């Protein structure tokens, strides 16, 4: 029989369809509100319309209807222009073994902490800077597939950035422009491969007038390195309109290629509105022994520090300045001393620091620096005077005075010169690499490793043979003394990165565990064995890395 539908059923269906249709006409925001509050509290229906019998189902149907409408009405997006290809990188590709090594180093960098760093295995993370330096020295280009992890590594470690960006080359900078996480690479790009040709005056002028601050600083550095007078001329074109903090950074760029031609500009900068700019200008002028400021400082200093002869004994007497007048302040002398520092000693130190060191040799009858430094100083002014001479030697990059102030490496602390390890490390940096290594080796032989960390950090890598042997001998002595190796963890870490890899075979004998000695720290022998095994394995790994990059 044909199915019949009662009038009541037909009326009910019609009402449901009407209610559903009314729900479908609701704005999307109303549907969201109903879903958040619940269909019992906020039924999905117009204010004057019928409420659907099955409100939850009606809500979902209306949401589906809205979604279909939105998708059906979606217009195709306009495609963006493809980025320009990266600039070509003409450098040769890495040897295959070196490419695998880099992938391993970068993968290990991302390993979770505590994943086997202790023990005898080398710390691969600490070898990345050395690997990059060697690869750059050999002139290889980075593999395209390894650029993302390389840039991630540089993002996490600022010390990697200069070498990593140099290795990444134009492709790395191109990628950095597509990923905000790597924008740090673009900030330093002006000093790398994306800078303009400094032989193109129009490009240089355009970047100087329109570029970002970091790009302008890098541009000025590049121009100064090529042509100091051109760099100065570029700076003078906008000097009067620059902000004080920018003027300070630009002025610092004049350290490269600093010469007599810069003096007139720096003399004008002594009257700058910014105290920091004035101080930097005075510092740069004092590094020019023939400058007018250096002459003014010498006149002040020589009036304060004088030779005094009592019988056959020559000594130094000091009469510190009694005031800091306006002329002294214009020449960069800060009038207000730091907390806890006396005014007169503060002024004296600044005046002596800015005085050409050659003036002291003349003042003391032509005596060389070593003899001047050894003269006794009256009234406990020796420390103040020697400290100021140290700062002057660093500022003027004077090896003779640096050598004299360092003193003999085996000398006790009360000997003439400076006993400060921080000052000694800065003075050492002025000497050539061989003399530096020889001095530190003798210092370690005489005083051990307890104060040698800062001194070792300024020595060239790999350490020269005598220096490396002095470090290893001192570590061996510490082991025989029964102390724990982590007391020397800083030096041991430096040794892993800085010892000549050729020393690995000679150090093999130190990897054997020693019997516990009476009075030694418990378990120290085993820890030392582990530490030396790690040192040897790291040196051999460095040798393998070097060989892979030679292939």
């Amino acid at each position: 029989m044909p199915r019949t539908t009662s009038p009541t059923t037909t009326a009910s269906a019609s009402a449901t369809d009407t209610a559903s249709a009314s729900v479908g006409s609701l704005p999307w925001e109303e549907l969201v509100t109903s879903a958040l509050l619940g269909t019992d509290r906020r039924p999905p229906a117009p204010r004057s319309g019928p409420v659907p019998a099955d409100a939850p189902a009606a809500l979902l149907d209306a949401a589906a209807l809205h979604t279909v409408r939105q998708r059906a009405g979606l217009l195709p997006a306009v495609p963006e222009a493809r980025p320009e290809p990266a600039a070509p990188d003409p450098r040769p590709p890495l040897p295959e073994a070196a490419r695998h090594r880099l992938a391993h180093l970068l993968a290990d960098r991302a390993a979770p902490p505590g994943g086997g760093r202790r023990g005898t295995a080398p710390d691969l993370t600490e070898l990345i800077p050395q690997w990059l330096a060697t690869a750059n020295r050999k002139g290889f280009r980075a593999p395209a597939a390894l650029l993302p992890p390389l840039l991630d590594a540089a993002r996490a470690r600022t010390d990697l950035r200069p070498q990593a960006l140099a290795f990444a080359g134009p492709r790395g900078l191109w990628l950095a422009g597509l990923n905000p996480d790597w924008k740090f690479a673009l900030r330093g790009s002006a000093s790398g491969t994306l800078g303009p040709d400094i032989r193109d005056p129009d490009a240089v002028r355009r970047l100087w007038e329109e570029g970002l601050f970091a790009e302008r600083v890098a541009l000025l550095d590049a121009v100064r390195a090529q042509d100091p007078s051109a760099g100065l001329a570029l700076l003078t074109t906008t000097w009067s309109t620059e902000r004080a903090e920018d003027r300070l950074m630009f002025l610092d760029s004049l350290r490269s290629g600093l010469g007599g031609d810069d003096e007139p500009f720096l003399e004008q900068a002594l009257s700058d509105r910014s105290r920091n700019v004035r101080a930097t200008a005075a510092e740069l002028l004092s590094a020019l022994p023939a400058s007018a400021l250096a002459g003014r400082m010498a006149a002040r200093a020589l009036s304060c520090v004088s030779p005094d002869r009592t019988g056959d004994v020559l000594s130094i007497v000091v009469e510190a300045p009694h005031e800091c007048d306006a002329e002294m302040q214009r020449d960069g002398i800060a009038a207000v001393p730091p907390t806890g520092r006396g005014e007169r000693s503060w002024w004296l130190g600044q005046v002596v620091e800015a005085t050409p060191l050659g003036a002291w040799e003349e003042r003391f009858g032509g005596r060389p620096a070593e003899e001047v430094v050894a003269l006794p100083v009256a009234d406990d002014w020796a420390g103040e005077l020697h400290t100021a001479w140290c700062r002057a030697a660093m500022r003027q990059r004077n090896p003779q005075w640096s050598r004299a102030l360092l003193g003999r490496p085996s000398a006790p602390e009360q000997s003439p010169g400076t006993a400060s390890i921080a000052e000694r490390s800065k003075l050492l940096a002025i000497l050539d690499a061989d003399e530096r290594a020889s001095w530190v080796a003798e210092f370690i032989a005489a005083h051990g490793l307890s104060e040698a960390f800062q001194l070792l950090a300024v020595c060239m890598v790999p350490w020269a043979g005598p220096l490396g042997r002095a470090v290893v001998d001192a570590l061996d002595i510490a082991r025989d003394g029964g102390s724990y190796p982590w007391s020397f963890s800083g030096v041991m870490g430096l040794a892993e990165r800085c010892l000549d890899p050729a020393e690995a075979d000679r150090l093999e004998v130190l990897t054997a565990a020693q019997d516990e000695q009476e009075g030694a720290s418990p378990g120290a022998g085993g820890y030392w064995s582990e530490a030396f095994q790690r040192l040897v394995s790291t040196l051999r790994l460095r040798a393998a890395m070097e060989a892979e990059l030679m292939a």
Side-chain angles (χ1 to χ4, degrees):
M1 292 180 62
R3 184 177 178 183
T4 59
T5 304
S6 68
T8 303
T9 302
T10 302
S12 174
S14 177
T16 300
D17 291 343
T18 302
S20 297
S22 65
V23 172
S25 65
L26 286 174
W28 177 258
E29 291 75 11
E30 289 288 334
L31 297 177
V32 171
T33 302
S34 180
L36 290 174
L37 296 178
T39 54
D40 290 339
R41 298 175 59 190
R42 185 71 172 267
R47 300 185 188 281
S48 58
V51 176
D54 189 351
L59 176 65
L60 294 176
D61 288 343
L65 180 61
H66 269 279
T67 302
V68 170
R69 286 174 180 164
Q70 186 177 16
R71 290 177 178 174
L74 185 65
L75 296 175
V78 178
E80 294 183 1
R82 291 188 177 185
E84 291 292 327
D89 191 339
R91 295 176 296 177
L94 279 173
E96 189 65 16
R99 188 182 67 79
H100 284 298
R101 177 73 64 191
L102 176 60
H104 188 196
L105 293 175
L106 294 174
D108 188 79
R109 179 200 69 82
R117 293 295 185 205
R118 295 187 60 182
T120 61
D123 186 348
L124 301 185
T125 301
E126 292 305 314
L127 295 179
I128 296 177
Q130 199 166 95
W131 189 97
L132 288 171
T134 305
N136 284 331
R137 194 167 60 250
K138 301 293 182 183
F140 291 115
R141 73 167 180 260
L146 294 180
L147 286 173
L150 178 65
L151 290 170
D152 282 338
R155 178 192 179 199
R157 286 180 57 177
T158 56
D159 63 310
L160 286 181
R161 291 181 184 178
Q163 295 285 3
L165 293 181
F167 184 57
R171 291 179 179 175
L173 294 175
W174 179 83
L175 273 180
L178 303 175
N179 186 345
D181 288 343
W182 300 329
K183 61 184 178 182
F184 69 87
L186 302 179
R187 290 196 294 267
S189 65
S191 60
T193 55
L194 290 189
D197 184 351
I198 61 174
R199 295 169 297 182
D200 182 349
D202 291 336
V204 168
R205 185 179 64 256
R206 186 164 53 252
L207 181 58
W208 180 251
E209 294 175 353
E210 302 173 6
L212 300 174
F213 174 66
E215 294 173 328
R216 299 178 70 212
V217 171
L219 174 64
L220 182 58
D221 287 340
V223 175
R224 283 286 293 186
Q226 186 73 24
D227 185 350
S229 60
L232 179 62
L234 185 66
L235 178 57
T236 57
T237 60
T238 58
W239 177 259
S240 61
T241 62
E242 303 289 356
R243 300 182 305 167
E245 55 268 34
D246 294 351
R247 292 199 304 276
L248 181 63
M249 290 294 293
F250 291 140
L251 200 60
D252 204 57
S253 297
L254 298 188
R255 296 181 191 278
S256 173
L258 182 67
D261 291 343
D262 300 315
E263 183 179 357
F265 175 78
L266 293 173
E267 274 286 345
Q268 292 180 2
L270 291 176
S271 302
D272 194 89
R273 302 183 302 276
S274 166
R275 181 176 60 84
N276 290 332
V277 170
R278 295 195 302 271
T280 301
E283 179 188 345
L284 292 173
L285 282 168
S286 68
L288 297 172
S291 69
L293 179 136
R296 296 192 296 270
M297 287 297 193
R300 295 177 182 120
L302 296 179
S303 69
C304 296
V305 181
S306 309
D308 180 68
R309 184 176 292 279
T310 303
D312 294 333
V313 178
L314 181 65
S315 63
I316 301 175
V317 293
V318 176
E319 180 67 26
H322 290 274
E323 64 173 344
C324 183
D325 57 30
E327 287 298 315
M328 290 173 66
Q329 293 182 50
R330 183 183 182 276
D331 283 347
I333 303 299
V336 180
T339 303
R341 184 80 181 273
E343 285 185 335
R344 296 181 65 198
S345 64
W346 171 243
W347 299 332
L348 174 73
Q350 294 178 83
V351 168
V352 172
E353 177 183 355
T355 297
L357 290 164
W360 301 110
E361 298 172 13
E362 295 179 12
R363 180 65 162 167
F364 291 93
R367 285 175 170 79
E370 187 175 358
E371 293 184 21
V372 175
V373 170
L375 291 173
V377 183
D379 300 327
D380 298 324
W381 282 102
E384 190 70 48
L385 186 60
H386 288 175
T387 297
W389 278 340
C390 285
R391 294 197 299 268
M394 297 168 204
R395 181 182 294 189
Q396 298 170 38
R397 309 295 298 174
N398 189 305
Q400 290 79 20
W401 276 82
S402 297
R403 198 175 293 117
L405 290 160
L406 277 167
R408 292 180 293 107
S410 58
E413 289 186 1
Q414 63 271 21
S415 62
T418 178
S420 165
I421 294 297
E423 288 177 355
R424 282 178 161 178
S425 64
K426 293 175 182 177
L427 292 170
L428 277 169
I430 299 170
L431 306 180
D432 65 58
D434 291 340
E435 185 176 3
R436 205 182 308 167
S438 176
W439 196 96
V440 177
E442 290 185 43
F443 180 90
I444 291 171
H447 305 287
L449 291 169
S450 59
E451 295 184 327
F453 184 80
Q454 281 183 276
L455 305 179
L456 287 168
V458 300
C459 293
M460 297 294 289
V461 177
W463 288 336
L467 175 57
R469 287 190 288 275
V471 171
V472 173
D473 290 345
L475 289 170
D476 196 17
I477 291 170
R479 178 183 67 165
D480 290 342
S483 59
Y484 282 123
W486 47 76
S487 302
F488 303 91
S489 59
V491 174
M492 186 66 80
L494 275 179
E496 292 175 8
R497 299 189 296 275
C498 302
L499 270 176
D500 190 332
E503 297 287 326
D505 291 341
R506 191 177 69 84
L507 298 178
E508 185 70 44
V509 66
L510 300 177
T511 61
Q514 289 184 322
D515 295 334
E516 294 289 341
Q517 301 178 17
E518 185 177 352
S521 301
Y527 287 123
W528 274 109
S529 173
E530 223 176 59
F532 279 118
Q533 288 178 54
R534 184 169 58 250
L535 174 59
V536 170
S537 61
T538 301
L539 294 179
R540 287 178 172 154
L541 177 57
R542 285 176 50 210
M545 286 166 40
E546 184 80 22
E548 291 163 358
L549 287 165
M550 292 290 290

